[in-house]
Amino acid sequence: MVLDPVRTAEIAANLAEVRRRMTAAARRSGRAPGDVRLVAVSKTYPLTDIAAALAAGQHDFGENRLEELWPKVAAAKAEGLDAIRWHMIGTIQSRKTGDAVGPLTLIHAVDRVKIAQRLSRDAQAAGCVLDVLLEVNVSGEASKHGFTPTEVTTVAADLLALPGLRVCGLMTMAPFELAAEATRPVFRALRELRDELAVRFPAGDWRDLSMGMTNDFEVAIEEGATIVRIGSAIFGSRNG
């Protein structure tokens, strides 16, 4: 694989700036910068961009669609890019849960009981346990996927008991706001919900909060995000 040196330098500079902003946000809220993981959202971007980011020290990459994810996983393996940690950050359709079983670091968007049950079934059949996050629609927007806060509290015990899944925390998508500060109540509500679940269901592992994207990740970090999902601030504007 031949990397364009100009593009490689651009991605490295963008990553450095994102990390600088992440560090500043963590310190503003009295947190250690190392407590927040950056997932570079690589959907629609070519493998050369991923390789450039990897060369700049970025190891976690997120894809939205299984049909794009697995060809990239295979291509990266063929190129010897074994240090990549892959995340599935998009919604999984019920008929495709079997396709989600594979070498993934984390599945971010388990948004229904049915999906959780099928993922557990398929993981058991494959002899593995999947690390997942439960997606919560904190804002209540009709266009957003996920459990309501009440629903996730009601079903948490059943989901924690599924043998093929390891629930590691919560995920949300805030509404797009021109002023990032307007997203703060959404992120704060998810953190408070996580804290409540950790008290009510102490057998669970509720360590992760996946929240915050390019337009609002600093606010998300200030409110407790442990994972931020950033694409365009690293790779530039996308098509598709």
Side-chain angles (χ1 to χ4, degrees), residues 133-147:
L133 304 178
L134 306 180
E135 182 174 4
V136 183
N137 184 357
V138 176
S139 66
E141 286 184 287
S143 61
K144 295 285 194 298
H145 295 275
F147 298 96

Side-chain angles (χ1 to χ4, degrees), residues 123-172:
Q124 277 192 289
C128 66
V129 176
L130 300 173
D131 286 343
V132 305
L133 304 178
L134 306 180
E135 182 174 4
V136 183
N137 184 357
V138 176
S139 66
E141 286 184 287
S143 61
K144 295 285 194 298
H145 295 275
F147 298 96
T148 69
T150 299
E151 285 171 344
V152 79
T153 302
T154 301
V155 303
D158 292 335
L159 298 183
L160 289 172
L162 291 172
L165 301 186
R166 184 181 299 109
V167 177
C168 299
L170 305 178
M171 174 267 207
T172 199

Side-chain angles (χ1 to χ4, degrees), residues 48 53 103 126 163 180 183 185 190 218-219:
T48 50
T183 63
L190 191 74
E218 289 155 302
V219 175

Side-chain angles (χ1 to χ4, degrees), residues 41 43 62-66 68-69 87-92:
V41 180
K43 67 174 185 178
E63 292 286 333
N64 279 54
R65 298 194 296 268
L66 292 168
E68 183 179 355
L69 167 68
H87 297 243
M88 177 59 189
I89 63 175
T91 300
I92 299 172

Side-chain angles (χ1 to χ4, degrees), residues 199-219:
V199 171
R200 294 186 59 176
F201 306 99
D205 179 355
W206 302 102
R207 67 183 182 271
D208 277 326
L209 289 176
S210 175
M211 58 187 195
M213 299 190 294
T214 289
N215 61 306
D216 53 23
F217 70 88
E218 289 155 302
V219 175

